[in-house]
Amino acid sequence: MDLTTTGPNDEWPTGLDVGELRRSGWNPIAFRVFVVKIHSRCDLACRYCYMYTLADQSWADKPARMSPETAAWTARRIAEHAETHGLTSVEVVLHGGEPLLAGPGLIRDLVEGVRAACRCRVDVTVQTNGLRLDEEYLDLFDALGVRVGVSLDGDASANDRHRVFRDGRPSHRAVTRSLHRMLDGHRHLFAGLLSTVDLRNDPIGTYESLLEFGPPAVDFLLPHGTWTDPPPGRPGDASTPYADWLIPVFDRWYRAPRTTIRLFAEIMHLLLGGASTIETIGLSPCGVLVVETDGGIEQSDFLKAAYDGAPLTGLHVASDPFDVALELPGVAARQIGLAALADECLSCPVVSVCGGGLYAHRYRAGAGFRNPSVYCADLFALIGHIRRTMERDVEMMR
């Protein structure tokens, strides 16, 4: 297999010489987060979903459900990688599609299989739309120690703009019913809420509606898009519609924090000289790998926004150790920090905080991924606002 190519038409990082990087003293970090796609279909038809509506459509050629054999190979490969690199812990994220469609049996076997194979701690979360989060699943997750993240975009009007069934029916009532079921008897399983920003929704109203569930954390997700296929309302100029949406939420949260908002907390941590712990911001190397339902080893599923086949590696759990993926130019490009960024980024005063933004958001057809984020102006404005807010508070303490 030729490990020197990753994208179409010689777009960067195609041709990135990982061997030369190693000879220069760079070494990749091990994968520590394994996103396991146990079911590739969904019982919702969210209008913005990057799995089904963006450039990569490889889901259609994959089995709906991961087989027990593939799950067993996945467990072995995770354990092998952890042992090779002396990891003390790994994280497994059960994902989809909608992972609960895989059924309790497969989920139990996979989680128990990974933990039996690994000598290190294995933390497991599941990211679900919540529709099937019934007592059977909650009891299972309680028994297995699996934490639960739920996708919800706000109140009924905000959520049901996009998160609908195939026939257009809204999903908010069903999801919130499941959330209340979890909170009533299994609150300790609650990992948090994932909310995709829609500029038409009121930011404070959205934030307050999420707080009603007492989430330990909230992740606000920018809609996935690229310079070639921009996200909604992102005109490609110096305007900052997403920063304008997020800043009022930050101001409300900063003065009276009632949960963790990871994007804001990470920016503050980076401004104080820390290192990033999430892929969306900062310069820390990315240690996330995806295993698809067919056993294919893939890069981040966010790359589905770029072009058809962007996440693919040609590797498979039945034949390839995860270490082979560390030799891929696309994986290296997400671990080499400043060396992966465009010249415009290198001269930017907030580059150590922004980190160029999410890798997928940098894509431009014909040029590849060595570009600023399509959200560049928004990130610059948001980071600047947070910095000024922190500086004012420090000044007041003097």
Side-chain angles (χ1 to χ4, degrees), residues 11-320:
E11 296 174 355
W12 197 88
T14 296
L16 180 64
D17 192 334
V18 179
E20 181 59 33
L21 285 171
R22 283 182 172 274
R23 287 188 291 274
S24 71
W26 172 84
N27 285 300
I29 67 160
F31 300 113
R32 288 175 168 80
V33 179
F34 301 93
V35 179
V36 184
K37 302 277 189 173
I38 56 176
H39 204 283
S40 66
R41 307 305 194 261
C42 192
D43 42 6
L44 287 182
C46 302
R47 297 185 177 108
Y48 53 60
C49 183
Y50 61 89
M51 280 288 296
Y52 308 112
T53 66
L54 297 181
D56 180 83
Q57 292 292 299
S58 57
W59 66 272
D61 299 322
K62 291 179 170 60
R65 185 176 183 269
M66 180 175 279
S67 70
E69 295 76 19
T70 297
W73 269 113
T74 300
R76 291 186 203 121
R77 292 302 184 194
I78 293 172
E80 173 186 63
H81 194 72
E83 183 74 14
T84 298
H85 294 275
L87 302 182
T88 58
S89 67
V90 296
E91 181 180 356
V92 174
V93 182
L94 306 178
H95 212 276
E98 169 48 47
L100 300 194
L101 288 170
L106 177 64
I107 290 175
R108 180 186 293 277
D109 290 347
L110 176 64
V111 173
E112 290 181 343
V114 174
R115 288 194 169 132
C118 287
R119 298 183 183 182
C120 64
R121 190 181 82 243
V122 179
D123 298 318
V124 185
T125 58
V126 59
Q127 185 62 42
T128 175
N129 62 29
L131 293 177
R132 296 172 183 265
L133 198 58
D134 57 17
E135 289 294 341
E136 181 182 9
Y137 266 124
L138 290 167
D139 288 343
L140 174 65
F141 295 149
D142 212 343
L144 295 175
V146 174
R147 301 195 71 211
V148 181
V150 178
S151 298
L152 186 71
D153 287 348
D155 61 15
S157 62
N159 184 80
D160 295 338
R161 284 190 189 278
H162 297 289
R163 301 189 63 80
V164 296
F165 291 91
R166 296 188 188 282
D167 60 4
R169 287 180 296 121
S171 66
H172 185 268
R173 180 177 294 180
V175 175
T176 54
R177 185 164 54 242
S178 293
L179 268 170
H180 285 299
R181 182 182 300 119
M182 177 169 62
L183 297 177
D184 285 346
H186 303 270
R187 180 178 286 273
H188 58 286
L189 300 178
F190 193 16
L193 294 173
L194 177 66
S195 181
T196 299
V197 174
D198 188 307
L199 297 174
R200 295 170 294 180
N201 294 336
D202 175 68
I204 299 301
T206 298
Y207 173 53
E208 294 290 346
S209 68
L210 299 176
L211 287 180
E212 292 176 9
F213 298 98
V218 172
D219 283 306
F220 282 111
L221 183 68
L222 295 172
H224 292 311
T226 68
W227 291 104
T228 303
D229 185 14
R234 178 63 266 170
D237 57 21
S239 62
T240 58
Y242 285 89
D244 296 343
W245 196 97
L246 288 166
I247 284 171
V249 180
F250 170 79
D251 288 342
R252 177 69 64 89
W253 170 81
Y254 183 78
R255 296 305 174 194
R258 293 164 57 194
T259 185
T260 296
I261 298 182
R262 272 189 271 255
L263 175 61
F264 301 156
E266 285 285 313
I267 291 173
M268 293 175 66
H269 183 62
L270 287 160
L271 285 168
L272 293 171
S276 55
T277 61
I278 58 176
E279 188 179 358
T280 52
I281 201 94
L283 290 166
S284 295
C286 178
V288 180
L289 197 66
V290 175
V291 179
E292 267 288 355
T293 55
D294 62 355
I297 299 169
E298 299 194 357
Q299 299 183 73
S300 170
D301 53 1
F302 298 155
L303 289 171
K304 292 178 179 292
Y307 57 85
D308 192 30
L312 303 181
T313 67
L315 306 176
H316 194 279
V317 291
S319 55
D320 301 292

